[in-house]
């Protein structure tokens, strides 16, 4: 049964896709979410945007940062978790009037399937972008979230139209850290990046540390990135596939004030490590073509 804005009713979702004690559909953050529970961890995934909002390993703080103002159904993506930026990253390359980061991160997705095993739960969503006025192409986006002792988010694009798509995208992941000023991001040493604040291209020297606004597209990198978080005595590993660019973003103080939804000192407790096809890393999809991108998050010892 379809209800508001094409969102499937919770009762129908539980009947069709629920799994007792493992996968339930309920209301959290003011909107419909899936709660996936395994022996090692649980995750909360909003139907809106197919957005992971929380990933918590037993006995650990949330791996994902979320705005204290997080609320579904506002017409904007929740600030935090893993927003899905598709089918373009950042401002639209030609038409600035179109929404930044594409048009699916605040829209309802359709639950397609769920699965669970002794150590994992999984949910898949679909977005049919064949009839939107915001885009001149036709495609399907399929997003799968797999929860266990790691979190894996996969996004597949299928070009269902008759024109070639130049695809950019991001799994725009907000990682939670105890204190960003004490954190270090490893794995990008010697990689080139575009500094989005100045437009310059520079080469990274050593670990990425943050003591001000950082907005960088690292390109030519298929590397795993590790965020060392001494304040929480842990590290978070971010592996990826289908991506040759990684964005590192922290808005710091002034931009946080302009954004208005970062909370009082949210910037101190987050860093975005985004698995992307962005900057020079553009995927060309011929009609019938597919592209798959994924990010895997794992908590590691310091
Ligand atoms: O991924 C980094 C970035 O492009 C930044 O420039 C900043 O705009 C951020 O995304 C958040 O964008 P949003 O539209 O969610 O406010």
């Amino acid at each position: 049964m379809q209800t508001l804005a094409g969102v499937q009713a919770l009762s129908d979702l539980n009947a069709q896709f629920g799994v007792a004690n493992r996968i339930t559909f309920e209301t959290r953050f003011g909107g419909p979410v899936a709660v996936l529970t395994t022996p090692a961890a649980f995750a909360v995934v909003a139907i809106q945007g197919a957005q992971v909002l929380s990933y918590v390993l037993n006995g650990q703080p949330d791996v994902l940062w979320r705005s204290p103002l997080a609320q579904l159904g506002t017409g904007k993506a929740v600030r935090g978790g893993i927003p899905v930026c598709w089918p373009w990253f950042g401002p639209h390359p030609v038409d600035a009037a179109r929404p930044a980061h594409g048009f699916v991160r605040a829209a309802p997705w359709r639950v397609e399937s769920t699965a669970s095993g002794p150590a994992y739960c999984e949910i898949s969503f679909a977005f049919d972008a064949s009839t939107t006025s915001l885009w001149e192409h036709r495609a399907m986006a399929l997003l799968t979230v797999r929860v266990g002792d790691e979190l894996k988010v996969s996004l597949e694009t299928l070009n269902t139209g008759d024109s070639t798509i130049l695809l950019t995208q991001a799994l725009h992941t907000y990682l939670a850290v105890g204190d960003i000023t004490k954190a270090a991001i490893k794995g990008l040493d010697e990689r080139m990046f575009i500094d989005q604040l100045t437009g310059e291209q520079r080469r990274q020297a050593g670990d990425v540390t943050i003591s001000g606004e950082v907005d960088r597209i690292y390109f030519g990198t298929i590397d795993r990135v590790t965020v060392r978080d001494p304040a929480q005595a842990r590290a978070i590993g971010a592996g990826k596939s289908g991506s040759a660019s990684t964005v590192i973003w922290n808005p710091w103080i002034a931009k946080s004030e302009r954004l208005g939804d970062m909370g009082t000192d949210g910037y101190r407790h987050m860093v975005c490590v985004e698995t992307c096809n962005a900057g020079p890393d553009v995927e060309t999809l011929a009609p019938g073509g597919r592209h798959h991108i994924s990010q895997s998050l794992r908590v590691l010892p310091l």
Side-chain angles (χ1 to χ4, degrees):
M1 180 186 98
Q2 289 292 320
T3 55
L4 279 181
V7 177
Q8 300 144 293
L10 284 181
S11 54
D12 290 351
L13 289 169
N14 278 307
Q16 193 173 357
F17 301 109
V19 177
N21 305 316
R22 302 299 297 278
I23 301 174
T24 58
F25 294 85
E26 51 192 82
T27 298
R28 293 196 188 183
F29 304 103
V33 302
V35 180
L36 286 73
T37 305
T38 74
F42 74 86
V44 177
V45 189
I47 308 298
Q48 172 187 300
Q51 184 173 352
V52 184
L53 296 178
S54 182
Y55 172 53
V56 180
L57 284 145
N58 298 341
Q60 283 271 347
D62 203 325
V63 171
L64 301 175
W65 180 87
R66 210 175 34 258
S67 167
L69 308 176
Q71 181 73 20
L72 292 165
T74 65
K76 287 181 64 179
V78 166
R79 177 79 58 200
I82 307 179
V84 178
C85 302
W86 185 92
W88 60 81
F89 174 82
H92 185 274
V94 175
D95 178 0
R98 301 192 202 188
H101 290 323
F103 50 80
V104 301
R105 56 178 173 158
W109 287 54
R110 182 166 184 78
V111 176
E112 290 290 300
S113 64
T114 53
S116 67
Y120 82 96
C121 285
E122 188 173 276
I123 186 167
S124 291
F125 298 86
F127 190 95
D128 179 358
S130 59
T131 59
T132 173
S133 59
L134 284 169
W135 202 36
E136 55 278 15
H137 301 291
R138 295 202 306 276
M140 286 292 287
L142 302 164
L143 187 119
T144 299
V145 180
R146 187 181 179 97
V147 183
D149 59 5
E150 75 170 14
L151 179 78
K152 182 170 184 180
V153 180
S154 306
L155 176 60
E156 176 139 25
T157 299
L158 170 61
N159 182 349
T160 54
D162 51 14
S163 57
T164 294
I165 296 171
L166 298 180
L167 176 68
T168 59
Q169 58 188 342
L171 298 173
H172 195 294
T173 301
Y174 288 73
L175 295 179
V177 295
D179 182 346
I180 194 59
T181 65
K182 297 184 171 60
I185 301 162
K186 309 178 81 65
L188 294 168
D189 185 20
E190 293 300 310
R191 297 295 181 229
M192 291 298 293
F193 65 88
I194 301 164
D195 184 334
Q196 296 275 77
L197 304 177
T198 63
E200 289 175 291
Q201 289 199 16
R202 302 206 304 269
R203 187 178 297 280
Q204 179 63 37
D207 295 346
V208 179
T209 56
I210 292 178
S211 56
E213 184 179 353
V214 167
D215 191 350
R216 300 175 181 172
I217 302 176
Y218 288 83
F219 56 92
T221 167
I222 59 171
D223 305 279
R224 157 183 289 278
V225 165
T226 302
V227 178
R228 290 191 78 254
D229 178 14
Q232 291 191 125
R234 74 179 185 188
I236 298 173
K240 65 176 186 174
S241 71
S243 156
S245 50
T246 296
V247 165
I248 303 293
W249 178 59
N250 183 291
W252 206 247
I253 299 168
K255 178 135 190 187
S256 290
E257 287 167 359
R258 294 197 300 275
L259 291 172
D261 54 8
M262 290 294 296
T264 48
D265 66 347
Y267 73 93
R268 290 190 72 96
H269 302 293
M270 57 71 67
V271 61
C272 280
V273 176
E274 305 166 32
T275 291
C276 307
N277 298 124
D281 175 22
V282 178
E283 287 297 329
T284 302
L285 270 67
R290 291 172 181 268
H291 181 69
H292 182 276
I293 187 173
S294 72
Q295 183 183 64
S296 298
L297 301 178
R298 184 179 281 271
V299 172
L300 303 166
L302 258 186

